Amino acid sequence: MRKIALNAIRQPANLSIDSSLMREAKGLDVNVSRAAEAGIAEAVAAEKTRLWKLENRATIDAWNDYTEKNGIPLEEYRQF
């Protein structure tokens, strides 16, 4: 999970959040800004991963085909 920089430059944002969820978060002393930032960071990381997999699909498939046909290179030296 990505660590959030405490000294990062922050940008104000308007968000619409379920009012009962906000009440509960405030009642539990949850830092809503940091929680939202963490959730957004997680969503960004997930989307970057999804896009990387799409962009590299052909290479991944080619490598999988190669290892199915030829085995893992240098397999005789593996210690696991």
Side-chain angles (χ1 to χ4, degrees), residues 1 3 11 17 31 34 39 45 59 69 76-78:
M1 185 157 87
K3 288 194 174 196
Q11 177 178 335
I17 300 174
N31 183 327
R34 294 290 188 259
T59 302
K69 292 175 188 166
E76 65 269 18
Y77 300 107
R78 290 176 66 180

Side-chain angles (χ1 to χ4, degrees), residues 72-80:
I72 299 171
L74 305 173
E75 187 169 16
E76 65 269 18
Y77 300 107
R78 290 176 66 180
Q79 297 185 14
F80 56 92

Side-chain angles (χ1 to χ4, degrees), residues 1-2 4 15 31-47:
M1 185 157 87
R2 179 181 178 267
I4 296 179
L15 302 172
N31 183 327
V32 177
S33 293
R34 294 290 188 259
E37 188 173 355
I40 293 167
E42 186 177 322
V44 166
E47 183 62 9

Side-chain angles (χ1 to χ4, degrees), residues 23-68:
R23 276 193 306 278
E24 190 172 6
K26 291 208 181 256
L28 296 168
D29 291 324
V30 171
N31 183 327
V32 177
S33 293
R34 294 290 188 259
E37 188 173 355
I40 293 167
E42 186 177 322
V44 166
E47 183 62 9
K48 283 182 172 181
T49 298
R50 187 187 74 79
L51 291 173
W52 185 91
K53 287 178 181 178
L54 280 175
E55 292 167 2
N56 292 284
R57 170 61 46 211
T59 302
I60 293 167
D61 288 344
W63 178 251
N64 288 338
D65 290 343
Y66 175 87
T67 55
E68 276 184 34

